[in-house]
Amino acid sequence: MITKNSPIGVLDSGVGGLTTVKELQRLLPKENIIYFGDNKNVPYGNKSQEEIISLTRRMIEFLISQNVKVIGVACNTISTIIDLISDDYDVKIIKVIDPVVDNIRNVLRKEKVGLIATNFTVNSGYYDKMLGDIKVYGKGSGELAAIVDSGKIDRIEVKEIIRTHVNSILEKESVDTVILGCTHYPIVKDIFEECYPEINFINPAFQQAEAMKEYLEEKQWLKEEESKAFKVYTTGDEDKYHTIMGMLQLELPQEIIQYND
Ligand code: DGL
């Protein structure tokens, strides 16, 4: 049975969803969090829809077995297809894309935006569909998520990749706002900003965490006790979590657990 003390679940193909965990820790400091990163199979952005669905089901079913009260899909790639399977589960699933789209439409009120994301996300047209009249200039990257996920971030190499991608957006249209439409990218947001100080790079994790908070408030499921636990399950290598968590300045987990089928 779900109670206020049930944990919040967050999932991603790898370490990218930690950007959402960071915002959750800030907004909801009393909550228990269980994170699932499928690092063994990253990047999802170069896989087929069928593969992404089957890998995602495994993560959702694991989090449900941990009695989570809500699941944050902290992965843009998965968020583009999650509606195809979310009705199969009773738990509330909150995507990373829809809350940021609301913000761009209703708060920022942009007429055009750039989007840098995985090839799968860009090709899905999901942001374009959700943003309606707002023109989206997208560029997919086949390599950036995997480089960030490796935890071995060579700033010069990453700068080169960022410049190539963002320039290709700017060649199409001059935009002052670019959505970091892959949760791995805000981990290197400072490199984006160093390359393009005049552009506002949007990190959708903030709005996703807000949406999760609103849902829990509505259900009256906010945890009240102070004691809390943060656990990470990964199908990959736990060492990189220390590196990335250090970069994001996260509150560290009590445990990082190797997940095997
Ligand atoms: N973090 C995921 C996203 O937001 C993608 C990384 C991947 O390709 O697996 O799209």
Side-chain angles (χ1 to χ4, degrees):
M1 195 186 73
I2 289 176
T3 69
K4 289 181 177 184
N5 292 332
S6 299
I8 291 177
V10 178
L11 62 83
D12 179 38
S13 58
V15 295
L18 295 174
T19 56
T20 294
V21 172
K22 182 180 165 80
E23 301 306 328
L24 288 170
Q25 287 182 340
R26 198 174 51 74
L27 278 179
L28 298 170
K30 296 178 187 168
E31 296 293 332
N32 297 319
I33 297 176
I34 299 187
Y35 184 82
F36 194 121
D38 190 11
N39 303 75
K40 187 176 152 203
N41 293 302
V42 74
Y44 279 19
N46 298 341
K47 295 192 192 307
S48 69
Q49 179 169 300
E50 291 65 36
E51 285 173 296
I52 298 169
I53 286 180
S54 124
L55 293 167
T56 301
R57 281 192 187 279
R58 178 177 68 156
M59 290 196 276
I60 292 178
E61 284 158 23
F62 173 72
L63 289 174
I64 289 174
S65 78
Q66 302 298 301
N67 195 36
V68 294
K69 55 188 175 186
V70 59
I71 294 179
V73 173
C75 175
N76 290 262
T77 308
I78 299 174
S79 295
T80 67
I81 52 91
I82 195 72
D83 288 348
L84 298 172
I85 58 169
S86 51
D87 283 351
D88 297 346
Y89 304 102
D90 287 335
V91 69
K92 172 79 172 173
I93 294 176
I94 296 184
K95 293 173 255 185
V96 69
I97 301 182
D98 302 38
V100 78
V101 162
D102 279 351
N103 187 265
I104 294 168
R105 290 175 76 106
N106 304 318
V107 181
L108 299 180
R109 296 176 181 276
K110 291 281 155 193
E111 283 174 8
K112 56 183 177 182
V113 288
L115 167 70
I116 166 159
T118 63
N119 286 320
F120 192 95
T121 298
V122 171
N123 295 339
S124 75
Y126 190 87
Y127 270 99
D128 312 62
K129 188 179 91 198
M130 295 296 292
L131 282 164
D133 293 345
I134 302 170
K135 199 94 184 81
V136 180
Y137 296 90
K139 177 73 181 82
S141 172
E143 72 271 57
L144 190 51
I147 291 174
V148 173
D149 206 85
S150 74
K152 298 188 188 79
I153 296 161
D154 171 348
R155 289 184 76 88
I156 297 176
E157 180 196 9
V158 171
K159 255 187 199 171
E160 200 51 42
I161 295 170
I162 287 174
R163 284 212 176 98
T164 311
H165 293 328
V166 177
N167 282 350
S168 97
I169 294 174
L170 296 175
E171 275 158 23
K172 284 184 246 163
E173 184 70 28
S174 129
V175 288
D176 62 4
T177 302
V178 173
I179 305 165
L180 298 178
C182 166
T183 53
H184 282 71
Y185 303 167
I187 295 171
V188 291
K189 188 165 182 252
D190 63 312
I191 310 184
F192 278 92
E193 287 167 343
E194 196 180 310
C195 295
Y196 299 93
E198 68 288 3
I199 293 180
N200 177 23
F201 289 100
I202 297 188
N203 172 8
F206 177 74
Q207 271 80 29
Q208 183 180 30
E210 288 269 4
M212 291 171 80
K213 181 177 177 217
E214 273 166 33
Y215 171 73
L216 294 175
E217 272 166 356
E218 207 177 281
K219 297 294 274 186
Q220 302 194 327
W221 277 350
L222 284 175
K223 182 163 162 287
E224 285 152 13
E225 287 165 23
E226 294 287 339
S227 67
K228 63 174 172 191
F230 171 30
K231 273 193 208 168
V232 170
Y233 289 84
T234 173
T235 55
D237 160 27
E238 73 176 62
D239 284 347
K240 76 173 92 179
Y241 274 84
H242 296 287
T243 313
I244 304 290
M245 286 177 179
M247 290 175 73
L248 285 170
Q249 298 182 311
L250 282 195
E251 280 174 45
L252 298 178
Q254 279 72 38
E255 287 175 279
I256 303 182
I257 300 149
Q258 189 72 43
Y259 179 93
N260 299 306
D261 281 320

PDB file of all heavy atoms in Angstrom, residues 124-160:
ATOM      1  N   SER A 124      11.454  12.082 -33.018  1.00  0.00           N
ATOM      2  CA  SER A 124      10.080  11.748 -32.589  1.00  0.00           C
ATOM      3  C   SER A 124       9.119  12.914 -32.853  1.00  0.00           C
ATOM      4  O   SER A 124       7.908  12.717 -32.952  1.00  0.00           O
ATOM      5  CB  SER A 124      10.045  11.416 -31.087  1.00  0.00           C
ATOM      6  OG  SER A 124      10.158  12.610 -30.317  1.00  0.00           O
ATOM      7  N   GLY A 125       9.662  14.138 -32.913  1.00  0.00           N
ATOM      8  CA  GLY A 125       8.790  15.306 -33.119  1.00  0.00           C
ATOM      9  C   GLY A 125       7.939  15.632 -31.902  1.00  0.00           C
ATOM     10  O   GLY A 125       7.011  16.444 -31.977  1.00  0.00           O
ATOM     11  N   TYR A 126       8.241  15.019 -30.768  1.00  0.00           N
ATOM     12  CA  TYR A 126       7.396  15.199 -29.573  1.00  0.00           C
ATOM     13  C   TYR A 126       7.418  16.646 -29.083  1.00  0.00           C
ATOM     14  O   TYR A 126       6.378  17.221 -28.768  1.00  0.00           O
ATOM     15  CB  TYR A 126       7.868  14.242 -28.471  1.00  0.00           C
ATOM     16  CG  TYR A 126       6.935  14.161 -27.289  1.00  0.00           C
ATOM     17  CD1 TYR A 126       5.873  13.266 -27.274  1.00  0.00           C
ATOM     18  CD2 TYR A 126       7.096  14.993 -26.177  1.00  0.00           C
ATOM     19  CE1 TYR A 126       4.998  13.186 -26.195  1.00  0.00           C
ATOM     20  CE2 TYR A 126       6.227  14.932 -25.094  1.00  0.00           C
ATOM     21  CZ  TYR A 126       5.193  14.026 -25.111  1.00  0.00           C
ATOM     22  OH  TYR A 126       4.331  13.958 -24.034  1.00  0.00           O
ATOM     23  N   TYR A 127       8.603  17.235 -29.015  1.00  0.00           N
ATOM     24  CA  TYR A 127       8.682  18.640 -28.578  1.00  0.00           C
ATOM     25  C   TYR A 127       7.914  19.531 -29.556  1.00  0.00           C
ATOM     26  O   TYR A 127       7.196  20.438 -29.133  1.00  0.00           O
ATOM     27  CB  TYR A 127      10.146  19.106 -28.472  1.00  0.00           C
ATOM     28  CG  TYR A 127      10.774  18.878 -27.106  1.00  0.00           C
ATOM     29  CD1 TYR A 127      11.589  17.783 -26.856  1.00  0.00           C
ATOM     30  CD2 TYR A 127      10.555  19.780 -26.069  1.00  0.00           C
ATOM     31  CE1 TYR A 127      12.169  17.594 -25.602  1.00  0.00           C
ATOM     32  CE2 TYR A 127      11.133  19.599 -24.816  1.00  0.00           C
ATOM     33  CZ  TYR A 127      11.937  18.505 -24.582  1.00  0.00           C
ATOM     34  OH  TYR A 127      12.499  18.321 -23.349  1.00  0.00           O
ATOM     35  N   ASP A 128       8.078  19.306 -30.863  1.00  0.00           N
ATOM     36  CA  ASP A 128       7.390  20.125 -31.871  1.00  0.00           C
ATOM     37  C   ASP A 128       5.881  20.028 -31.667  1.00  0.00           C
ATOM     38  O   ASP A 128       5.169  21.030 -31.682  1.00  0.00           O
ATOM     39  CB  ASP A 128       7.718  19.642 -33.299  1.00  0.00           C
ATOM     40  CG  ASP A 128       9.206  19.441 -33.511  1.00  0.00           C
ATOM     41  OD1 ASP A 128       9.820  18.586 -32.824  1.00  0.00           O
ATOM     42  OD2 ASP A 128       9.771  20.137 -34.344  1.00  0.00           O
ATOM     43  N   LYS A 129       5.408  18.795 -31.466  1.00  0.00           N
ATOM     44  CA  LYS A 129       3.965  18.583 -31.304  1.00  0.00           C
ATOM     45  C   LYS A 129       3.467  19.303 -30.042  1.00  0.00           C
ATOM     46  O   LYS A 129       2.471  20.014 -30.061  1.00  0.00           O
ATOM     47  CB  LYS A 129       3.698  17.074 -31.211  1.00  0.00           C
ATOM     48  CG  LYS A 129       2.244  16.708 -31.235  1.00  0.00           C
ATOM     49  CD  LYS A 129       2.056  15.207 -31.155  1.00  0.00           C
ATOM     50  CE  LYS A 129       1.913  14.793 -29.692  1.00  0.00           C
ATOM     51  NZ  LYS A 129       2.124  13.409 -29.421  1.00  0.00           N
ATOM     52  N   MET A 130       4.206  19.136 -28.951  1.00  0.00           N
ATOM     53  CA  MET A 130       3.775  19.722 -27.675  1.00  0.00           C
ATOM     54  C   MET A 130       3.868  21.249 -27.692  1.00  0.00           C
ATOM     55  O   MET A 130       3.100  21.935 -27.033  1.00  0.00           O
ATOM     56  CB  MET A 130       4.630  19.187 -26.521  1.00  0.00           C
ATOM     57  CG  MET A 130       4.497  17.713 -26.262  1.00  0.00           C
ATOM     58  SD  MET A 130       2.849  17.256 -25.728  1.00  0.00           S
ATOM     59  CE  MET A 130       2.783  18.035 -24.130  1.00  0.00           C
ATOM     60  N   LEU A 131       4.858  21.771 -28.414  1.00  0.00           N
ATOM     61  CA  LEU A 131       5.049  23.229 -28.403  1.00  0.00           C
ATOM     62  C   LEU A 131       4.132  23.944 -29.405  1.00  0.00           C
ATOM     63  O   LEU A 131       4.065  25.172 -29.412  1.00  0.00           O
ATOM     64  CB  LEU A 131       6.522  23.581 -28.630  1.00  0.00           C
ATOM     65  CG  LEU A 131       7.398  23.391 -27.369  1.00  0.00           C
ATOM     66  CD1 LEU A 131       8.880  23.360 -27.717  1.00  0.00           C
ATOM     67  CD2 LEU A 131       7.125  24.467 -26.325  1.00  0.00           C
ATOM     68  N   GLY A 132       3.433  23.178 -30.236  1.00  0.00           N
ATOM     69  CA  GLY A 132       2.410  23.757 -31.119  1.00  0.00           C
ATOM     70  C   GLY A 132       2.947  24.843 -32.027  1.00  0.00           C
ATOM     71  O   GLY A 132       3.791  24.582 -32.890  1.00  0.00           O
ATOM     72  N   ASP A 133       2.474  26.086 -31.802  1.00  0.00           N
ATOM     73  CA  ASP A 133       2.852  27.213 -32.669  1.00  0.00           C
ATOM     74  C   ASP A 133       4.297  27.650 -32.489  1.00  0.00           C
ATOM     75  O   ASP A 133       4.816  28.408 -33.314  1.00  0.00           O
ATOM     76  CB  ASP A 133       2.020  28.455 -32.298  1.00  0.00           C
ATOM     77  CG  ASP A 133       0.583  28.237 -32.640  1.00  0.00           C
ATOM     78  OD1 ASP A 133       0.318  27.282 -33.392  1.00  0.00           O
ATOM     79  OD2 ASP A 133      -0.266  29.019 -32.147  1.00  0.00           O
ATOM     80  N   ILE A 134       4.892  27.265 -31.405  1.00  0.00           N
ATOM     81  CA  ILE A 134       6.276  27.698 -31.151  1.00  0.00           C
ATOM     82  C   ILE A 134       7.200  26.879 -32.053  1.00  0.00           C
ATOM     83  O   ILE A 134       7.163  25.642 -32.049  1.00  0.00           O
ATOM     84  CB  ILE A 134       6.660  27.503 -29.658  1.00  0.00           C
ATOM     85  CG1 ILE A 134       5.696  28.300 -28.763  1.00  0.00           C
ATOM     86  CG2 ILE A 134       8.115  27.905 -29.410  1.00  0.00           C
ATOM     87  CD1 ILE A 134       5.821  28.013 -27.289  1.00  0.00           C
ATOM     88  N   LYS A 135       8.001  27.576 -32.828  1.00  0.00           N
ATOM     89  CA  LYS A 135       8.843  26.891 -33.804  1.00  0.00           C
ATOM     90  C   LYS A 135      10.037  26.266 -33.083  1.00  0.00           C
ATOM     91  O   LYS A 135      10.692  26.912 -32.256  1.00  0.00           O
ATOM     92  CB  LYS A 135       9.304  27.957 -34.814  1.00  0.00           C
ATOM     93  CG  LYS A 135       9.791  27.407 -36.087  1.00  0.00           C
ATOM     94  CD  LYS A 135       8.717  27.328 -37.188  1.00  0.00           C
ATOM     95  CE  LYS A 135       9.316  26.663 -38.406  1.00  0.00           C
ATOM     96  NZ  LYS A 135       9.391  25.227 -38.413  1.00  0.00           N
ATOM     97  N   VAL A 136      10.315  24.992 -33.399  1.00  0.00           N
ATOM     98  CA  VAL A 136      11.412  24.276 -32.746  1.00  0.00           C
ATOM     99  C   VAL A 136      12.519  24.002 -33.768  1.00  0.00           C
ATOM    100  O   VAL A 136      12.256  23.431 -34.829  1.00  0.00           O
ATOM    101  CB  VAL A 136      10.920  22.930 -32.160  1.00  0.00           C
ATOM    102  CG1 VAL A 136      12.067  22.174 -31.487  1.00  0.00           C
ATOM    103  CG2 VAL A 136       9.782  23.155 -31.168  1.00  0.00           C
ATOM    104  N   TYR A 137      13.730  24.408 -33.437  1.00  0.00           N
ATOM    105  CA  TYR A 137      14.892  24.118 -34.292  1.00  0.00           C
ATOM    106  C   TYR A 137      15.728  23.072 -33.573  1.00  0.00           C
ATOM    107  O   TYR A 137      16.433  23.379 -32.609  1.00  0.00           O
ATOM    108  CB  TYR A 137      15.680  25.414 -34.567  1.00  0.00           C
ATOM    109  CG  TYR A 137      14.837  26.396 -35.345  1.00  0.00           C
ATOM    110  CD1 TYR A 137      14.035  27.325 -34.682  1.00  0.00           C
ATOM    111  CD2 TYR A 137      14.775  26.325 -36.735  1.00  0.00           C
ATOM    112  CE1 TYR A 137      13.195  28.180 -35.395  1.00  0.00           C
ATOM    113  CE2 TYR A 137      13.943  27.177 -37.456  1.00  0.00           C
ATOM    114  CZ  TYR A 137      13.157  28.095 -36.779  1.00  0.00           C
ATOM    115  OH  TYR A 137      12.320  28.933 -37.482  1.00  0.00           O
ATOM    116  N   GLY A 138      15.591  21.826 -34.006  1.00  0.00           N
ATOM    117  CA  GLY A 138      16.198  20.722 -33.256  1.00  0.00           C
ATOM    118  C   GLY A 138      17.477  20.194 -33.873  1.00  0.00           C
ATOM    119  O   GLY A 138      17.667  20.238 -35.086  1.00  0.00           O
ATOM    120  N   LYS A 139      18.337  19.678 -32.998  1.00  0.00           N
ATOM    121  CA  LYS A 139      19.536  18.984 -33.469  1.00  0.00           C
ATOM    122  C   LYS A 139      19.755  17.774 -32.566  1.00  0.00           C
ATOM    123  O   LYS A 139      19.826  17.908 -31.342  1.00  0.00           O
ATOM    124  CB  LYS A 139      20.743  19.941 -33.406  1.00  0.00           C
ATOM    125  CG  LYS A 139      22.051  19.299 -33.816  1.00  0.00           C
ATOM    126  CD  LYS A 139      22.104  19.067 -35.345  1.00  0.00           C
ATOM    127  CE  LYS A 139      23.403  18.406 -35.775  1.00  0.00           C
ATOM    128  NZ  LYS A 139      23.443  16.955 -35.610  1.00  0.00           N
ATOM    129  N   GLY A 140      19.865  16.603 -33.198  1.00  0.00           N
ATOM    130  CA  GLY A 140      20.097  15.385 -32.436  1.00  0.00           C
ATOM    131  C   GLY A 140      21.587  15.106 -32.291  1.00  0.00           C
ATOM    132  O   GLY A 140      22.373  15.435 -33.179  1.00  0.00           O
ATOM    133  N   SER A 141      21.946  14.529 -31.153  1.00  0.00           N
ATOM    134  CA  SER A 141      23.338  14.129 -30.956  1.00  0.00           C
ATOM    135  C   SER A 141      23.387  12.634 -30.691  1.00  0.00           C
ATOM    136  O   SER A 141      22.681  12.133 -29.812  1.00  0.00           O
ATOM    137  CB  SER A 141      23.947  14.870 -29.766  1.00  0.00           C
ATOM    138  OG  SER A 141      25.223  14.327 -29.496  1.00  0.00           O
ATOM    139  N   GLY A 142      24.210  11.930 -31.450  1.00  0.00           N
ATOM    140  CA  GLY A 142      24.340  10.480 -31.253  1.00  0.00           C
ATOM    141  C   GLY A 142      25.367  10.134 -30.197  1.00  0.00           C
ATOM    142  O   GLY A 142      25.470   8.972 -29.783  1.00  0.00           O
ATOM    143  N   GLU A 143      26.162  11.113 -29.764  1.00  0.00           N
ATOM    144  CA  GLU A 143      27.279  10.762 -28.893  1.00  0.00           C
ATOM    145  C   GLU A 143      27.341  11.458 -27.543  1.00  0.00           C
ATOM    146  O   GLU A 143      27.942  10.929 -26.599  1.00  0.00           O
ATOM    147  CB  GLU A 143      28.612  10.986 -29.639  1.00  0.00           C
ATOM    148  CG  GLU A 143      29.025  12.452 -29.857  1.00  0.00           C
ATOM    149  CD  GLU A 143      28.495  13.083 -31.128  1.00  0.00           C
ATOM    150  OE1 GLU A 143      27.261  13.090 -31.289  1.00  0.00           O
ATOM    151  OE2 GLU A 143      29.280  13.592 -31.940  1.00  0.00           O
ATOM    152  N   LEU A 144      26.693  12.626 -27.402  1.00  0.00           N
ATOM    153  CA  LEU A 144      26.924  13.415 -26.182  1.00  0.00           C
ATOM    154  C   LEU A 144      26.452  12.716 -24.893  1.00  0.00           C
ATOM    155  O   LEU A 144      27.154  12.740 -23.875  1.00  0.00           O
ATOM    156  CB  LEU A 144      26.285  14.805 -26.332  1.00  0.00           C
ATOM    157  CG  LEU A 144      26.626  15.838 -25.260  1.00  0.00           C
ATOM    158  CD1 LEU A 144      28.126  15.959 -25.031  1.00  0.00           C
ATOM    159  CD2 LEU A 144      26.034  17.209 -25.617  1.00  0.00           C
ATOM    160  N   ALA A 145      25.281  12.076 -24.945  1.00  0.00           N
ATOM    161  CA  ALA A 145      24.763  11.416 -23.737  1.00  0.00           C
ATOM    162  C   ALA A 145      25.733  10.326 -23.271  1.00  0.00           C
ATOM    163  O   ALA A 145      26.035  10.216 -22.073  1.00  0.00           O
ATOM    164  CB  ALA A 145      23.392  10.812 -23.997  1.00  0.00           C
ATOM    165  N   ALA A 146      26.243   9.540 -24.217  1.00  0.00           N
ATOM    166  CA  ALA A 146      27.135   8.439 -23.843  1.00  0.00           C
ATOM    167  C   ALA A 146      28.443   8.973 -23.254  1.00  0.00           C
ATOM    168  O   ALA A 146      28.984   8.398 -22.307  1.00  0.00           O
ATOM    169  CB  ALA A 146      27.406   7.548 -25.050  1.00  0.00           C
ATOM    170  N   ILE A 147      28.930  10.075 -23.804  1.00  0.00           N
ATOM    171  CA  ILE A 147      30.183  10.653 -23.272  1.00  0.00           C
ATOM    172  C   ILE A 147      29.959  11.127 -21.839  1.00  0.00           C
ATOM    173  O   ILE A 147      30.745  10.826 -20.942  1.00  0.00           O
ATOM    174  CB  ILE A 147      30.678  11.810 -24.172  1.00  0.00           C
ATOM    175  CG1 ILE A 147      31.155  11.234 -25.504  1.00  0.00           C
ATOM    176  CG2 ILE A 147      31.794  12.621 -23.496  1.00  0.00           C
ATOM    177  CD1 ILE A 147      31.542  12.261 -26.543  1.00  0.00           C
ATOM    178  N   VAL A 148      28.860  11.831 -21.615  1.00  0.00           N
ATOM    179  CA  VAL A 148      28.578  12.309 -20.249  1.00  0.00           C
ATOM    180  C   VAL A 148      28.396  11.105 -19.332  1.00  0.00           C
ATOM    181  O   VAL A 148      28.905  11.074 -18.210  1.00  0.00           O
ATOM    182  CB  VAL A 148      27.334  13.233 -20.225  1.00  0.00           C
ATOM    183  CG1 VAL A 148      26.943  13.579 -18.796  1.00  0.00           C
ATOM    184  CG2 VAL A 148      27.589  14.506 -21.039  1.00  0.00           C
ATOM    185  N   ASP A 149      27.681  10.087 -19.819  1.00  0.00           N
ATOM    186  CA  ASP A 149      27.405   8.922 -18.979  1.00  0.00           C
ATOM    187  C   ASP A 149      28.670   8.167 -18.597  1.00  0.00           C
ATOM    188  O   ASP A 149      28.715   7.510 -17.556  1.00  0.00           O
ATOM    189  CB  ASP A 149      26.413   7.986 -19.679  1.00  0.00           C
ATOM    190  CG  ASP A 149      25.640   7.166 -18.663  1.00  0.00           C
ATOM    191  OD1 ASP A 149      24.621   7.671 -18.155  1.00  0.00           O
ATOM    192  OD2 ASP A 149      26.080   6.053 -18.335  1.00  0.00           O
ATOM    193  N   SER A 150      29.696   8.274 -19.420  1.00  0.00           N
ATOM    194  CA  SER A 150      30.933   7.542 -19.117  1.00  0.00           C
ATOM    195  C   SER A 150      31.606   8.117 -17.874  1.00  0.00           C
ATOM    196  O   SER A 150      32.429   7.467 -17.239  1.00  0.00           O
ATOM    197  CB  SER A 150      31.908   7.636 -20.307  1.00  0.00           C
ATOM    198  OG  SER A 150      32.464   8.950 -20.348  1.00  0.00           O
ATOM    199  N   GLY A 151      31.240   9.354 -17.514  1.00  0.00           N
ATOM    200  CA  GLY A 151      31.865   9.984 -16.343  1.00  0.00           C
ATOM    201  C   GLY A 151      33.248  10.530 -16.659  1.00  0.00           C
ATOM    202  O   GLY A 151      33.862  11.194 -15.845  1.00  0.00           O
ATOM    203  N   LYS A 152      33.733  10.254 -17.884  1.00  0.00           N
ATOM    204  CA  LYS A 152      35.060  10.762 -18.283  1.00  0.00           C
ATOM    205  C   LYS A 152      34.821  11.941 -19.216  1.00  0.00           C
ATOM    206  O   LYS A 152      34.709  11.787 -20.427  1.00  0.00           O
ATOM    207  CB  LYS A 152      35.858   9.667 -18.986  1.00  0.00           C
ATOM    208  CG  LYS A 152      36.108   8.483 -18.077  1.00  0.00           C
ATOM    209  CD  LYS A 152      37.062   7.480 -18.725  1.00  0.00           C
ATOM    210  CE  LYS A 152      37.148   6.221 -17.897  1.00  0.00           C
ATOM    211  NZ  LYS A 152      35.989   5.319 -18.106  1.00  0.00           N
ATOM    212  N   ILE A 153      34.689  13.095 -18.610  1.00  0.00           N
ATOM    213  CA  ILE A 153      34.288  14.259 -19.403  1.00  0.00           C
ATOM    214  C   ILE A 153      35.509  15.116 -19.732  1.00  0.00           C
ATOM    215  O   ILE A 153      36.073  15.775 -18.869  1.00  0.00           O
ATOM    216  CB  ILE A 153      33.187  15.044 -18.664  1.00  0.00           C
ATOM    217  CG1 ILE A 153      31.946  14.140 -18.563  1.00  0.00           C
ATOM    218  CG2 ILE A 153      32.848  16.339 -19.403  1.00  0.00           C
ATOM    219  CD1 ILE A 153      30.954  14.527 -17.531  1.00  0.00           C
ATOM    220  N   ASP A 154      35.904  15.020 -20.996  1.00  0.00           N
ATOM    221  CA  ASP A 154      37.033  15.821 -21.474  1.00  0.00           C
ATOM    222  C   ASP A 154      36.429  17.133 -22.002  1.00  0.00           C
ATOM    223  O   ASP A 154      35.729  17.139 -23.010  1.00  0.00           O
ATOM    224  CB  ASP A 154      37.730  15.012 -22.587  1.00  0.00           C
ATOM    225  CG  ASP A 154      38.787  15.820 -23.314  1.00  0.00           C
ATOM    226  OD1 ASP A 154      38.840  17.054 -23.124  1.00  0.00           O
ATOM    227  OD2 ASP A 154      39.549  15.208 -24.079  1.00  0.00           O
ATOM    228  N   ARG A 155      36.674  18.206 -21.276  1.00  0.00           N
ATOM    229  CA  ARG A 155      35.990  19.477 -21.596  1.00  0.00           C
ATOM    230  C   ARG A 155      36.234  19.921 -23.036  1.00  0.00           C
ATOM    231  O   ARG A 155      35.347  20.469 -23.683  1.00  0.00           O
ATOM    232  CB  ARG A 155      36.432  20.595 -20.637  1.00  0.00           C
ATOM    233  CG  ARG A 155      35.902  20.421 -19.233  1.00  0.00           C
ATOM    234  CD  ARG A 155      36.281  21.597 -18.355  1.00  0.00           C
ATOM    235  NE  ARG A 155      35.467  22.785 -18.608  1.00  0.00           N
ATOM    236  CZ  ARG A 155      34.316  23.056 -18.013  1.00  0.00           C
ATOM    237  NH1 ARG A 155      33.814  22.214 -17.139  1.00  0.00           N
ATOM    238  NH2 ARG A 155      33.663  24.177 -18.289  1.00  0.00           N
ATOM    239  N   ILE A 156      37.443  19.684 -23.544  1.00  0.00           N
ATOM    240  CA  ILE A 156      37.756  20.147 -24.908  1.00  0.00           C
ATOM    241  C   ILE A 156      36.928  19.369 -25.931  1.00  0.00           C
ATOM    242  O   ILE A 156      36.326  19.933 -26.839  1.00  0.00           O
ATOM    243  CB  ILE A 156      39.270  20.026 -25.181  1.00  0.00           C
ATOM    244  CG1 ILE A 156      39.977  20.958 -24.190  1.00  0.00           C
ATOM    245  CG2 ILE A 156      39.624  20.346 -26.635  1.00  0.00           C
ATOM    246  CD1 ILE A 156      41.475  20.921 -24.213  1.00  0.00           C
ATOM    247  N   GLU A 157      36.849  18.055 -25.716  1.00  0.00           N
ATOM    248  CA  GLU A 157      36.064  17.214 -26.628  1.00  0.00           C
ATOM    249  C   GLU A 157      34.580  17.593 -26.557  1.00  0.00           C
ATOM    250  O   GLU A 157      33.900  17.739 -27.586  1.00  0.00           O
ATOM    251  CB  GLU A 157      36.255  15.744 -26.220  1.00  0.00           C
ATOM    252  CG  GLU A 157      35.505  14.758 -27.082  1.00  0.00           C
ATOM    253  CD  GLU A 157      35.387  13.371 -26.448  1.00  0.00           C
ATOM    254  OE1 GLU A 157      35.732  13.201 -25.252  1.00  0.00           O
ATOM    255  OE2 GLU A 157      34.925  12.465 -27.146  1.00  0.00           O
ATOM    256  N   VAL A 158      34.084  17.784 -25.321  1.00  0.00           N
ATOM    257  CA  VAL A 158      32.662  18.111 -25.154  1.00  0.00           C
ATOM    258  C   VAL A 158      32.350  19.478 -25.773  1.00  0.00           C
ATOM    259  O   VAL A 158      31.329  19.656 -26.441  1.00  0.00           O
ATOM    260  CB  VAL A 158      32.253  18.032 -23.655  1.00  0.00           C
ATOM    261  CG1 VAL A 158      30.857  18.583 -23.418  1.00  0.00           C
ATOM    262  CG2 VAL A 158      32.331  16.583 -23.170  1.00  0.00           C
ATOM    263  N   LYS A 159      33.261  20.445 -25.592  1.00  0.00           N
ATOM    264  CA  LYS A 159      33.068  21.780 -26.196  1.00  0.00           C
ATOM    265  C   LYS A 159      32.929  21.687 -27.710  1.00  0.00           C
ATOM    266  O   LYS A 159      32.082  22.327 -28.323  1.00  0.00           O
ATOM    267  CB  LYS A 159      34.304  22.642 -25.899  1.00  0.00           C
ATOM    268  CG  LYS A 159      34.068  23.678 -24.848  1.00  0.00           C
ATOM    269  CD  LYS A 159      35.280  24.577 -24.763  1.00  0.00           C
ATOM    270  CE  LYS A 159      35.249  25.278 -23.433  1.00  0.00           C
ATOM    271  NZ  LYS A 159      36.461  26.009 -23.128  1.00  0.00           N
ATOM    272  N   GLU A 160      33.793  20.895 -28.296  1.00  0.00           N
ATOM    273  CA  GLU A 160      33.796  20.699 -29.742  1.00  0.00           C
ATOM    274  C   GLU A 160      32.430  20.174 -30.212  1.00  0.00           C
ATOM    275  O   GLU A 160      31.857  20.667 -31.189  1.00  0.00           O
ATOM    276  CB  GLU A 160      34.913  19.667 -30.024  1.00  0.00           C
ATOM    277  CG  GLU A 160      35.466  19.609 -31.409  1.00  0.00           C
ATOM    278  CD  GLU A 160      35.902  20.954 -31.955  1.00  0.00           C
ATOM    279  OE1 GLU A 160      36.522  21.736 -31.206  1.00  0.00           O
ATOM    280  OE2 GLU A 160      35.581  21.206 -33.135  1.00  0.00           O
TER     281      GLU A 160
END
